[in-house]
Amino acid sequence: MPTLRQLFLANNAQTTNFPLLLEFERAEGIYMYNAEGRPYIDLISGIGVSSLGHSNPYVIDAIKQQVDKYMHLMVYGEYVQTPQVRFAEKLVSVLPDNLQSVYFTNSGAEAVEGALKLAKRFTRRQQVVACLNSYHGSTHGALSVMGNEEFKQAYRPLLPGVNFIRFDNPDDLLLITEETACVIIETIQGEAGIRVPDIAYMQALRARCTEMGTLLILDEIQAAFGRTGKLFAFEHFGIVPDILLLAKALGGGMPIGAFISSNEIMDVLKENPILGHITTFGGHPVCCAAGLAALEYLLDNELVSGVAEKETLFRELLVHPAIHQVRGKGLMMAVELENFDLNKKIIDRCIENGVITDWFLHCSNSMRLAPPLIITHDEIRKACDVIVEAIDFHSK
Ligand SMILES: Cc1ncc(COP(=O)(O)O)c(C=O)c1O
């Protein structure tokens, strides 16, 4: 009899020669449990998804209730489906006035695809500006706006007309012109190793886009829903995007994304051609029910208000001569070490000792910290003890 691990390697498509190969049987709160019942602290939330922790009972109940009523009924945008309507209504109620029209997708990358199309269609322009070191997903359009050549070169040709600017560098804003349909930018860069831009830069970016008639697309797929200490990361910068991208924590653990804009902008998808963006499963009723429950839980339990204090505690505890820097905002953090080799050894030891973390796609010398927002101060202390011990062990 082959083991589960052998079957995984044989029949499940592999995207790396070095998968982590951890096996979990169940997950609850900030913990994931293996077959022997050993708990592991999840310090990365399945990469920014499980912000409420795993198996939140309120979300599970909403899923069960919806499954009992109906699952898929029809492709997106034709039938009036209660979970989609109620979820969009709730999202719009917590967003600025111009973000009132929600298009639900299945994933983050699909939200990126929809937003790029929408910006081109609305402005009737063809050029796109994106940032170096950005990550927006792995489909062709999203890959085209990724700011890392290493991941793109094997998949060319990609979208033409994409120009790259340096993140947080005001000089490059002049590359946004009247030819530019949109700027797509992460409000806080994630896979670049958590880079928080200057408030002045983000305001200058907003002003330049407005001046040029260019749509500003903020990708908050990783940063939204309290992760940075505000419900949406753009609130730190006093700006509002023309199009907002959400996914990951949006579904409370279920797969869903969204691009959100004004009615005026979104309306261009209706005509010339009709059905400007189509998805079969986008806004799946069960995912919308889960997303609505997750957002209600987040707001009703005021989880966002505790994030800043938890960040401070992490920063107090993660002090060590081998740590070059702790970057980030809220519970979206990176711990910078000397190099990948050291980082990987420390990460492996943390996992051995029951704390799950990893590194970043474009920043291999830094360790990712993105725990569920429900993590307690005691649990932060426990996790940091393990991290500091691992750093000590490998940097002697
Ligand atoms: C900032 C950002 N944008 C887009 C994506 C793509 O989302 P998905 O993996 O759901 O396609 C990710 C995923 O990590 C991301 O971090």
Side-chain angles (χ1 to χ4, degrees):
M1 269 279 277
T3 63
L4 209 59
R5 180 177 294 195
Q6 285 164 338
L7 287 170
F8 167 77
L9 290 170
N11 301 333
N12 291 85
Q14 298 296 309
T15 55
T16 165
N17 284 319
F18 315 100
L20 288 168
L21 293 177
L22 295 165
E23 289 178 48
F24 297 107
E25 222 164 64
R26 66 186 186 88
E28 200 179 325
I30 67 155
Y31 295 99
M32 300 192 284
Y33 297 87
N34 70 9
E36 288 77 48
R38 182 181 176 200
Y40 290 75
I41 294 180
D42 183 358
L43 270 197
I44 53 177
S45 306
I47 315 293
V49 172
S50 326
S51 284
L52 307 183
H54 299 276
S55 307
N56 178 288
Y58 187 68
V59 175
I60 290 175
D61 189 49
I63 291 171
K64 285 182 176 162
Q65 283 190 36
Q66 185 54 42
V67 168
D68 282 342
K69 287 182 190 145
Y70 59 81
M71 293 196 274
H72 178 82
L73 296 183
M74 178 54 167
V75 298
Y76 183 78
E78 296 288 347
Y79 296 173
V80 182
Q81 302 187 38
T82 308
Q84 287 179 352
V85 176
R86 291 290 173 224
F87 192 20
E89 180 189 30
K90 186 75 182 175
L91 280 167
V92 165
S93 78
V94 293
L95 282 166
D97 288 350
N98 70 312
L99 299 174
Q100 74 242 132
S101 178
V102 182
Y103 192 119
F104 287 119
T105 63
N106 299 285
S107 67
E110 282 176 72
V112 170
E113 300 290 337
L116 292 175
K117 281 175 64 186
L118 180 62
K120 284 161 88 174
R121 177 72 185 77
F122 181 76
T123 60
R124 299 182 182 277
R125 301 175 186 177
Q126 298 182 356
Q127 289 186 14
V128 172
V129 164
C131 285
L132 291 173
N133 287 321
S134 62
Y135 182 76
H136 299 288
S138 201
T139 53
H140 261 88
L143 196 59
S144 304
V145 292
M146 185 199 284
N148 183 334
E149 194 52 34
E150 190 191 335
F151 288 95
K152 299 201 292 191
Q153 60 197 7
Y155 298 102
R156 292 195 180 283
L158 295 169
L159 275 184
V162 182
N163 295 311
F164 286 90
I165 59 174
R166 288 167 293 181
F167 185 75
D168 201 17
N169 188 318
D171 296 343
D172 288 7
L173 296 180
L174 292 175
L175 290 170
I176 302 164
T177 69
E178 287 179 344
E179 307 279 290
T180 314
C182 60
V183 174
I184 180 165
I185 184 169
E186 293 156 89
T187 314
I188 291 176
Q189 278 195 328
E191 294 313 305
I194 315 297
R195 310 285 164 173
V196 184
D198 264 5
I199 293 176
Y201 169 78
M202 291 303 268
Q203 295 191 344
L205 168 67
R206 175 64 275 184
R208 180 76 185 170
C209 285
T210 304
E211 191 188 341
M212 293 296 128
T214 297
L215 298 187
L216 176 60
I217 303 176
L218 289 184
D219 179 342
E220 298 214 358
I221 287 167
Q222 217 174 113
F225 298 111
R227 174 122 322 266
T228 68
K230 300 261 190 206
L231 191 56
F232 299 100
F234 62 75
E235 294 171 38
H236 291 291
F237 303 96
I239 61 163
V240 172
D242 299 299
I243 305 177
L244 177 67
L245 306 182
L246 302 172
K248 289 195 183 277
L250 176 68
M254 294 292 275
I256 187 166
F259 57 103
I260 305 179
S261 191
S262 64
N263 284 324
E264 184 202 356
I265 294 172
M266 205 65 97
D267 271 356
V268 299
L269 296 178
K270 288 183 192 168
E271 288 178 333
N272 301 320
I274 185 178
L275 300 173
H277 198 68
I278 302 175
T279 165
T280 298
F281 284 128
H284 191 281
V286 179
C287 301
C288 281
L292 174 60
L295 184 52
E296 284 172 351
Y297 190 90
L298 184 78
L299 298 172
D300 293 350
N301 292 281
E302 296 179 3
L303 293 181
V304 186
S305 62
V307 168
E309 251 183 43
K310 291 175 185 178
E311 173 191 0
T312 305
L313 184 57
F314 266 110
R315 287 183 183 275
E316 277 167 19
L317 297 169
L318 292 176
V319 176
H320 190 281
I323 296 178
H324 289 201
Q325 193 186 17
V326 177
R327 281 188 302 273
K329 196 101 187 143
L331 292 175
M332 184 174 178
M333 282 188 276
V335 181
E336 187 180 305
L337 297 154
E338 180 64 24
N339 52 40
F340 175 63
D341 199 41
L342 179 63
N343 192 23
K344 177 75 170 71
K345 280 191 208 150
I346 292 167
I347 288 168
D348 286 348
R349 187 164 175 90
C350 285
I351 294 174
E352 270 165 43
N353 291 329
V355 170
I356 307 245
T357 174
D358 75 342
W359 61 97
F360 299 90
L361 209 56
H362 309 325
C363 184
S364 61
N365 71 350
S366 299
M367 177 195 290
R368 187 192 309 266
L369 297 180
L373 309 187
I374 58 161
I375 193 168
T376 64
H377 287 217
D378 275 351
E379 288 164 340
I380 292 173
R381 284 192 193 92
K382 220 157 85 178
C384 288
D385 279 352
V386 171
I387 295 171
V388 171
E389 188 279 337
I391 295 174
D392 254 345
F393 186 85
H394 281 297
S395 53
K396 274 190 186 127

